Amino acid sequence: MPSPRANAPMRLAAPATLLAQSSLLAALPPDVHERLLPHFSLVELAAGQELGTPHSGPARALFPLSGVVSLVQQLPDGDSGQVAMVGREGLLGLPLVMGGDAMPTRGVVQCAGYGLALSRERLVEEFERSGPFMRHLLRYTQAMITQISLLVVCNRHHSIEQQLSRLILMSLDRVHGHEVPLTQEFAARLLGVRREGVTEASGRLREAGSVACRRGVFAVQDRKALESRACSCYHAVKSEYARLLPVHCTEGHGAAAPRPALPVLQPAPAWGALAPAA
């Protein structure tokens, strides 16, 4: 699959605007911004792009500015399912600072967007200062553990309609506007169910007036109605993120937010977002 395009580390145009698009980075003090900004690379993330593979050591961390990345766990028999998602509230590459190195999951870009990449060396160096950066990442790690734990139980005990509603809502909290770019086939892969089950569930949501479905897009028409059809896992995950990370992307409830003034991306060699070079 094609790799995200990246420019070399540089002092990014409109840095305050760019960093504000990441809830995790926006919460950090100015001195941390000053140290990290020269080392970020702006990358474009394409829908369906795989970012790293299980059991490989990440080479870089990724802070999404827009879009959604799903963390997918694959079983030995080939079955797979989503165990978490990452958007503007967090980062990919936690093993870099947790000491485990290897990625237990693979990242797949669910909704296209942009992100800021940071080298392993700079990430670990800032983390080991034991300041606000470390504290924010540890709180984010706790929120991520909660998300993974709840989604594992959700996939086992809740109906496909409840899971699909939760998936749409969690995605909506991390994108601009009220539309989630997501095909029914991809949704079925993330939930680990048959596509027919997702088709039936989306039909019921459409009949209830919660969403409108067109090719590759779920357009949320009645958020409150959709929330009422989702399982309690959605609200539990959202509450935990709000508790641990007060500046969180779900504050706007999916409302449109201004897009950053992004520098022009120049073609570059394959980036290898999370996987190290061969």
Side-chain angles (χ1 to χ4, degrees):
M1 302 189 69
S3 296
R5 295 181 297 166
N7 44 3
M10 62 179 183
R11 290 194 176 275
L12 298 170
T17 302
L18 282 170
L19 296 182
Q21 295 299 308
S22 164
S23 297
L24 195 59
L25 295 176
L28 298 173
D31 62 311
V32 179
H33 290 171
E34 291 176 5
R35 284 194 296 270
L36 295 181
L37 188 60
H39 307 289
F40 281 124
S41 297
L42 183 65
V43 297
E44 182 179 6
L45 304 173
Q49 172 66 46
E50 292 195 11
L51 305 179
T53 57
H55 313 305
S56 65
R60 302 185 184 187
L62 174 68
F63 296 82
L65 303 179
S66 62
V68 181
V69 178
S70 286
L71 299 184
V72 177
Q73 180 70 62
Q74 186 165 351
L75 300 175
D77 61 7
D79 289 339
S80 63
Q82 181 194 61
V83 296
M85 69 171 61
V86 180
R88 290 175 287 148
E89 81 290 350
L91 82 156
L92 274 73
L94 281 176
L96 291 174
V97 294
M98 300 302 291
D101 289 338
M103 289 286 292
T105 60
R106 60 188 176 94
V108 180
V109 179
Q110 178 184 320
C111 303
Y114 295 87
L116 291 174
L118 186 66
S119 71
R120 173 187 184 131
E121 292 74 22
R122 296 298 178 181
L123 184 81
V124 173
E125 178 183 19
E126 188 63 39
F127 184 83
E128 290 182 346
R129 289 177 181 270
S130 301
F133 187 70
M134 182 190 73
R135 293 192 293 273
H136 276 78
L137 258 62
L138 289 178
R139 286 200 293 270
Y140 173 70
T141 301
Q142 183 176 344
M144 176 64 76
I145 291 172
T146 299
Q147 182 187 172
I148 293 172
S149 301
L150 285 169
L151 263 59
V152 168
V153 176
C154 180
N155 294 340
R156 175 66 178 84
H157 293 284
H158 294 143
S159 70
I160 296 177
E161 181 179 335
Q162 289 176 310
Q163 293 181 57
L164 180 61
S165 299
R166 183 259 302 159
L167 175 63
I168 295 172
L169 286 166
M170 289 181 66
S171 302
L172 187 68
D173 287 340
R174 292 164 170 82
V175 299
H176 297 278
H178 298 278
E179 294 187 349
V180 175
L182 181 66
T183 65
Q184 293 186 11
E185 181 178 358
F186 197 6
R189 287 173 53 196
L190 294 177
L191 299 179
V193 300
R194 293 170 59 87
R195 178 176 175 176
E196 291 79 4
V198 170
T199 300
E200 293 175 2
S202 60
R204 289 191 292 271
L205 294 178
R206 185 175 61 252
E207 292 172 0
S210 301
V211 301
C213 304
R214 65 176 188 272
R215 186 174 181 82
V217 174
F218 286 92
V220 177
Q221 296 184 309
D222 188 336
R223 184 184 177 106
K224 289 185 178 180
L226 186 61
E227 289 185 1
S228 70
R229 304 181 82 89
C231 55
S232 59
C233 298
Y234 167 69
H235 300 284
V237 170
K238 185 174 180 178
S239 296
E240 186 70 353
Y241 273 79
R243 181 179 73 85
L244 293 167
L245 306 166
V247 182
H248 182 241
C249 66
T250 59
E251 288 178 342
H253 296 285
R259 293 182 180 274
L262 296 170
V264 176
L265 295 180
Q266 300 298 327
W271 175 50
L274 291 181

